Amino acid sequence: MDRLTEMRVFVRAVEDGGFSAAGRALSLTPSAVSKLMARLENRLGVVLFNRSLRSLALTPEGEAFYPAALQALAAVEEAESRAQGGRLTGEVLRIRSVPTFAIHLLAPLVPEFRRQHPGLRLEFLLGNEPGNLLEGGVDLAISIGELPDSSLVARRVTTMRWIICASPRYLAEHGTPGSPAELAEHECLNFNKRMPWSTWSFRGADHSVSRIPARGGVTANQGQMLMALALAGAGIARLADFQIREALAEGRLVRLFPEQEPRMEEAIYAVHQGRRHPSPRLRFFLDFLEEAFSRKPG
């Protein structure tokens, strides 16, 4: 078990980019992580980390050990899962997600997944802020739109559309814009500029795509807040279709410019480390998501 602990800490240090991050993910102090790694190196008789650099870097020996450690840990988890009849007991799957996706699409699926895997605990971390998607011991991250090039693996689970909408109350008080160009005369509720979704796109009559910086006096870093503001009559917002489906059907929000919405949908990805052998808990959840979304119309 000591060797397995050392390998788990080693893999987490590599994937999280440092001893401190690995310690936070595994509830260990940085000094405890450092001691475990020193013990591992002494036992192997090699240096795994280059400690002379500002950022954590693997030596050639560390590069060779990393995939082997991944394979060994996956084999242990697979053996335990098989011995338990495919059940996972005491395991934790950490999932980072965009809040709106987690609330509207993931949460309704959790009871079914828990019935299939009652021994597997789920821990959700919600946020939109850019950064390392898998930092802090996260196993899986949900990301919307284009992904930067990296060593991470991304599996597309579904798609979405952005919809421009406003409440009947706002439109009654301020009028209904006849074209996207008229949005400049309206209060637009938007994501903060540092968020990747703050520019609104429209399709022209010639099928060209134009982009406008939607401006207003209120911004937010989460779609749930923007939806609450739109429902309150504070302005016009661009929100995800899965988020506002019920509000549109009930007439609490009104869809604007449906003919000028971009035809291309944005992909929603499940992102995880580029392991050759994903852990059983990760593989079970990925397969579950793929099957669940394949059943859903649209």
Side-chain angles (χ1 to χ4, degrees):
M1 290 303 295
D2 286 342
R3 291 188 177 188
L4 285 175
T5 299
E6 290 170 358
M7 281 194 287
R8 285 194 177 101
V9 174
F10 167 78
V11 167
R12 183 54 65 189
V14 173
E15 293 180 347
D16 286 359
F19 290 173
S20 296
R24 288 193 297 271
L26 299 171
S27 299
L28 297 171
T29 64
S31 62
V33 173
S34 182
K35 288 177 181 177
L36 281 168
M37 293 303 91
R39 189 174 72 186
L40 174 62
E41 290 175 324
N42 290 335
R43 183 167 58 79
L44 297 176
V46 297
V47 177
L48 299 173
F49 296 103
N50 189 336
R51 293 170 173 80
S52 64
L53 301 176
R54 289 185 178 179
S55 59
L56 190 68
L58 290 173
T59 63
E61 292 78 11
E63 293 281 0
F65 184 66
Y66 176 62
L70 284 177
Q71 186 173 354
L73 291 174
V76 170
E77 292 184 357
E78 184 71 32
E80 292 176 346
S81 175
R82 287 179 180 271
Q84 296 164 351
R87 294 176 289 108
L88 295 172
T89 303
E91 295 278 344
V92 179
L93 183 71
R94 293 180 176 87
I95 303 164
R96 174 169 284 126
S97 176
V98 174
T100 51
F101 183 86
I103 292 168
H104 294 276
L105 294 183
L106 280 185
L109 297 176
V110 168
E112 181 181 353
F113 182 78
R114 291 278 293 149
R115 282 192 293 271
Q116 295 180 17
H117 304 284
L120 178 60
R121 292 171 49 216
L122 300 178
E123 182 178 318
F124 289 98
L125 298 93
L126 306 184
N128 284 327
E129 296 301 325
N132 184 351
L133 291 174
L134 302 181
E135 185 179 17
V138 170
D139 299 291
L140 178 75
I142 300 297
S143 179
I144 296 177
E146 295 183 7
L147 293 168
D149 292 336
S150 72
S151 60
L152 303 179
V153 174
R155 182 190 295 193
R156 193 171 85 161
V157 292
T158 188
T159 59
M160 58 148 286
R161 289 185 183 277
W162 291 106
I163 293 178
I164 311 294
C165 59
S167 70
R169 174 183 172 183
Y170 175 86
L171 298 176
E173 292 180 359
H174 302 278
T176 301
S179 69
E182 294 182 20
L183 287 174
E185 304 168 11
H186 285 265
E187 181 76 9
C188 293
L189 308 168
N190 204 356
F191 287 98
N192 301 340
K193 286 187 177 181
R194 62 180 302 197
M195 309 304 295
W197 312 300
S198 59
T199 300
W200 297 7
S201 301
F202 298 93
R203 181 170 52 90
D206 59 353
H207 303 292
S208 62
V209 176
S210 60
R211 294 175 173 81
I212 67 167
R215 295 187 175 89
V218 181
T219 62
N221 69 336
Q222 291 195 9
Q224 287 296 101
M225 181 60 178
L226 294 177
M227 180 177 175
L229 289 165
L231 288 169
I236 298 173
R238 189 181 79 141
L239 302 168
D241 56 357
F242 60 77
Q243 178 186 6
I244 61 173
R245 189 172 289 121
E246 290 185 7
L248 290 175
E250 295 167 358
R252 292 183 292 134
L253 289 175
V254 177
R255 186 175 187 175
L256 307 176
F257 323 123
E259 299 301 320
Q260 292 172 282
E261 294 168 1
R263 291 190 183 278
M264 184 174 294
E265 298 178 325
E266 286 213 47
I268 301 177
Y269 295 97
V271 183
H272 59 92
Q273 293 287 353
R275 297 182 176 186
R276 185 177 301 175
H277 302 281
S279 66
R281 66 181 185 276
L282 176 58
R283 189 173 68 248
F284 289 164
F285 193 73
L286 286 169
D287 292 344
F288 172 81
L289 283 185
E290 186 171 309
E291 194 275 334
F293 282 109
S294 70
R295 300 195 309 259
K296 289 182 176 294

